[in-house]
């Protein structure tokens, strides 16, 4: 009987579940640039929602956001990197909690996260460990419209945001890390909106973000949900960080095979600003004034991902 009950629960999760409380997602990106030809990353995240998440309110991809679902998450990312003749392996671990709190005016929002990056040199270079802490507070000012501001503290070593890697890809996470820089505090701000398009079965989503650290960066994104299962999105990010890459544009597509199972693909092209004053390749002269476009670290990534909810 126990085996039959387990099989029945699994079948419901795979075919037509209308609510879920756990989500597991995995992602891998292939990196193509001169320094990191055909390297790759792998990432996994598990999320537990304190209450069942209803999948009938709009696009399946945004079910948790539409439900204002408080949650806790754990994440891990593995990546390889070659730069300045040194080959390193990066391990990034993260923990995060998000809460939506009803008030008499509007729902309040708060989040806290911690990420730890271990940099392991495979060619005799310097090993490193880096921490970052982040806090956000905000409010859902209108239906499905979130505004939040935050504070991020990065210790005196390079550290990546484990959840940013999963959400936006390793190239954009690297630009964000370099924008904040080491041993720095940063102020962040972001907005997110998802809404139905009147007269259709489609929805539209917008998001925007700012980071003020050692340098500053902004990102913009929009997603068109052709129906509740299928979505396509585009995004752009730019940083005042003066090396390469410091701009990135991307595209993605995601499809829910069932309400519980989704697959997706992404592409990011990250390049230097043509007016950058130096080439980030450490083998080059640090004072070079050559155009940074086409440098070793101009990067393209292709990613695949999958989600499972139960």
């Amino acid at each position: 009987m126990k085996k039959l009950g387990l099989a029945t629960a699994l079948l419901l999760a795979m075919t037509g579940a209308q609510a879920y409380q756990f989500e597991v997602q995995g992602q891998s990106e292939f990196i193509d640039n001169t320094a990191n030809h055909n390297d790759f990353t792998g990432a996994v995240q598990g999320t537990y929602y304190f209450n069942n998440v209803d999948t009938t309110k709009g696009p399946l991809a945004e079910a948790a956001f539409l439900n204002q679902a408080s949650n806790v998450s754990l994440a891990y990312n593995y990546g390889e990197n070659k730069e300045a003749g040194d080959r390193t392996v990066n391990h990034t671990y993260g923990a995060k909690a998000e809460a939506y709190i009803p008030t008499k005016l509007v729902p309040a929002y708060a989040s806290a996260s911690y990420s730890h990056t271990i940099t392991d040199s495979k060619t005799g270079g310097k090993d490193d460990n880096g921490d970052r802490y982040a806090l956000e507070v905000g409010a859902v000012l209108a239906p499905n419209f979130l505004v939040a501001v935050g504070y991020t503290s990065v210790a005196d070593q390079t550290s990546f945001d484990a959840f940013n890697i999963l959400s936006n890809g390793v190239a954009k996470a690297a630009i964000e890390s370099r924008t904040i820089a080491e041993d720095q505090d940063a102020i962040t701000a972001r907005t997110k909106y998802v809404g139905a398009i009147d007269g259709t079965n489609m929805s539209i989503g917008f998001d925007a973000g700012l980071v003020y650290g050692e340098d500053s960066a902004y990102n913009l994104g929009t997603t068109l949900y052709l129906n509740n299962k299928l979505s396509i999105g585009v995004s752009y990010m730019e940083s005042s960080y003066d090396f390469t890459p410091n701009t990135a544009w991307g595209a993605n597509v995601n499809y829910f095979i069932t309400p519980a199972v989704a697959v997706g693909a992404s592409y990011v092209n990250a390049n230097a600003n043509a007016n950058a004053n130096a080439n980030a390749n450490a083998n080059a002269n640090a004072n070079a004034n050559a155009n940074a476009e086409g440098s070793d670290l101009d990067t393209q990534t292709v990613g695949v991902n999958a989600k499972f909810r139960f």
Side-chain angles (χ1 to χ4, degrees):
M1 291 298 294
K2 290 183 178 180
K3 291 182 179 179
L4 179 60
L6 180 62
T8 302
L10 181 61
L11 180 62
L12 288 172
M14 294 292 290
T15 56
Q18 296 299 307
Y20 65 96
Q21 203 162 0
F22 293 88
E23 180 177 88
V24 178
Q25 59 178 307
Q27 174 178 289
S28 182
E29 289 182 278
F30 295 88
I31 305 170
D32 187 13
N33 59 36
T34 303
N36 298 282
H37 185 61
N38 290 332
D39 277 344
F40 69 94
T41 70
V44 62
Q45 178 178 329
T47 303
Y48 169 73
Y49 297 94
F50 298 118
N51 297 300
N52 284 339
V53 178
D54 183 359
T55 61
T56 65
K57 293 184 177 182
L60 289 166
E62 298 293 349
F65 176 69
L66 297 175
N67 279 267
Q68 298 178 20
S70 300
N71 64 84
V72 291
S73 299
L74 295 174
Y76 167 73
N77 177 268
Y78 172 91
E80 298 185 6
N81 179 63
K82 291 191 291 288
E83 192 172 331
D86 184 25
R87 183 174 184 83
T88 59
V89 172
N90 294 317
H91 304 273
T92 300
Y93 305 86
K96 185 175 184 179
E98 290 184 300
Y100 292 87
I101 306 164
T103 73
K104 293 181 178 180
L105 298 176
V106 294
Y109 170 84
S111 72
S113 66
Y114 166 75
S115 292
H116 178 71
T117 299
I118 300 172
T119 302
D120 179 15
S121 175
K122 299 300 184 181
T123 51
K126 180 184 177 183
D127 292 339
D128 216 341
N129 289 273
D131 296 302
R132 70 158 60 193
Y133 303 86
L135 297 171
E136 273 190 318
V137 293
V140 182
L141 298 181
N144 307 328
F145 177 56
L146 173 68
V147 176
V149 295
Y151 165 78
T152 298
S153 176
V154 177
D156 60 349
Q157 299 91 10
T158 297
S159 183
F160 299 100
D161 183 336
F163 300 94
N164 192 14
I165 293 173
L166 279 146
S167 298
N168 297 306
V170 65
K172 291 184 180 180
I175 293 174
E176 185 260 10
S177 178
R178 291 170 175 174
T179 297
I180 295 175
E182 300 173 4
D183 194 18
Q184 293 289 330
D185 298 326
I187 301 299
T188 62
R190 68 184 179 98
T191 63
K192 180 174 181 176
Y193 170 77
V194 177
I197 300 176
D198 291 342
T200 74
N201 63 348
M202 298 188 294
S203 299
I204 190 76
F206 299 101
D207 59 87
L210 297 171
V211 177
Y212 294 97
E214 178 71 13
D215 295 291
S216 60
Y218 70 89
N219 64 79
L220 303 169
T222 185
T223 301
L224 177 64
Y225 302 93
L226 299 172
N227 51 50
N228 285 352
K229 296 181 178 180
L230 177 63
S231 66
I232 54 175
V234 293
S235 62
Y236 179 77
M237 180 177 186
E238 183 170 328
S239 173
S240 62
Y241 171 75
D242 204 24
F243 292 89
T244 179
N246 60 5
T247 64
W249 62 269
N252 65 81
V253 58
N254 291 278
Y255 178 68
F256 276 81
I257 302 170
T258 77
V261 180
V263 293
S266 63
Y267 171 78
V268 174
N269 188 310
N271 289 311
N273 188 315
N275 295 319
N277 295 320
N279 192 321
N281 185 342
N283 293 322
N285 186 331
N287 295 317
N289 290 317
N291 188 329
E293 288 287 352
S295 70
D296 285 351
L297 296 184
D298 284 350
T299 299
Q300 298 180 76
T301 68
V302 177
V304 292
N305 62 79
K307 292 182 180 180
F308 178 60
R309 295 169 170 177
F310 55 97

